Amino acid sequence: MSRTARVERITKETKVLVELDLDGTGRAEITTGVGFYDHMLNQIARHGGFDLTVRTVGDLEIDAHHTMEDTALALGAAFDQALGDKAGIRRYGSATVPMDEVLVRAAVDLSGRPYVLHDEPVLAPYIGPVYPTSMTRHIWESFGQAARITLHVDVLRAARPGGHPDAHHVVEAQFKAVSRALREATSIDPRNAGAIPSTKGAL
């Protein structure tokens, strides 16, 4: 059965198209107008093993907030759509990812109940000229809400003794960890025989 989705989100502030194949090969075509965000969404495709297309046109003449938020909402909705009734999936996934001095842990439950906890240190305000680091939390909150998942993202280590956190490494390690957790949670469990992984019979 195809586990794909196509989501369009159009507002007065943004126009977003997301296409997703959960059983892909990591192919990505990402254009949001925010270079570092494009790089992070590429991580989701590559490390999640998903085929992902994202095309966003937003009001960047104001700032990046609407563009990043609406893209995350559309991406979450695409995951929710592609998962369907969630029969046969593993449901839970977790990953701990190192990136040089940074260590991040992500855990996900495709529960149907949106709940997001995010913990990271104070970072430099921007990565590159456009990506505000304060938006990373909001990305996960928006994504988790639209995907209807429980998501925990914790930065366990962020700097060498006496040093300051490298914002690029801290944020990228988060995207890689979440991607690996999603890869596990969305994968088909051969022992589950197509059953919905819940005693309730629904997710």
Side-chain angles (χ1 to χ4, degrees):
M1 187 175 76
S2 174
R3 300 197 301 159
T4 61
R6 187 178 193 274
V7 172
E8 289 187 89
R9 178 182 173 86
I10 299 174
T11 72
K12 292 181 179 179
E13 299 162 340
T14 62
K15 181 178 180 180
V16 185
L17 169 67
V18 174
E19 295 177 335
L20 173 68
D21 184 349
L22 296 178
D23 302 308
T25 59
R27 179 193 59 79
E29 181 187 335
I30 313 290
T31 306
T32 68
V34 181
F36 185 75
Y37 196 29
D38 292 356
H39 182 45
M40 294 302 96
L41 295 176
N42 266 281
Q43 305 303 320
I44 290 179
R46 174 59 60 189
H47 294 283
F50 312 121
D51 287 348
L52 178 62
T53 297
V54 177
R55 298 192 188 100
T56 301
V57 178
D59 54 357
L60 293 176
E61 71 280 3
I62 295 175
D63 65 13
H65 186 108
H66 299 143
T67 295
M68 296 169 71
E69 176 184 55
D70 287 0
T71 300
L73 288 167
L75 181 61
F79 269 87
D80 187 42
Q81 183 184 121
L83 284 164
D85 66 3
K86 303 177 184 175
I89 63 168
R90 295 186 186 275
R91 175 178 170 177
Y92 296 99
S94 63
T96 303
V97 169
M99 187 169 182
D100 297 350
E101 76 284 4
V102 174
L103 186 67
V104 173
R105 178 180 59 214
V108 64
D109 174 12
L110 306 180
S111 59
R113 300 185 305 276
Y115 196 93
V116 176
L117 287 175
H118 174 262
D119 182 47
E120 72 176 7
V122 176
L123 301 175
Y126 282 90
I127 301 172
V130 184
Y131 183 100
T133 56
S134 61
M135 280 297 296
T136 304
R137 178 192 299 272
H138 192 48
I139 289 168
W140 297 133
E141 290 171 342
S142 300
F143 173 75
Q145 182 75 26
R148 300 189 308 120
I149 64 174
T150 296
L151 175 64
H152 292 238
V153 184
D154 295 292
V155 178
L156 304 178
R157 185 173 298 118
R160 298 182 179 93
H164 298 286
D166 182 319
H168 186 130
H169 285 178
V170 170
V171 175
E172 184 166 341
Q174 290 178 52
F175 274 83
K176 288 178 175 177
V178 171
S179 303
R180 297 298 299 188
L182 286 168
R183 180 177 188 142
E184 180 181 4
T186 61
S187 65
I188 298 298
D189 184 353
R191 300 177 62 185
N192 204 21
I196 293 173
S198 171
T199 55
K200 298 181 179 68
L203 287 172

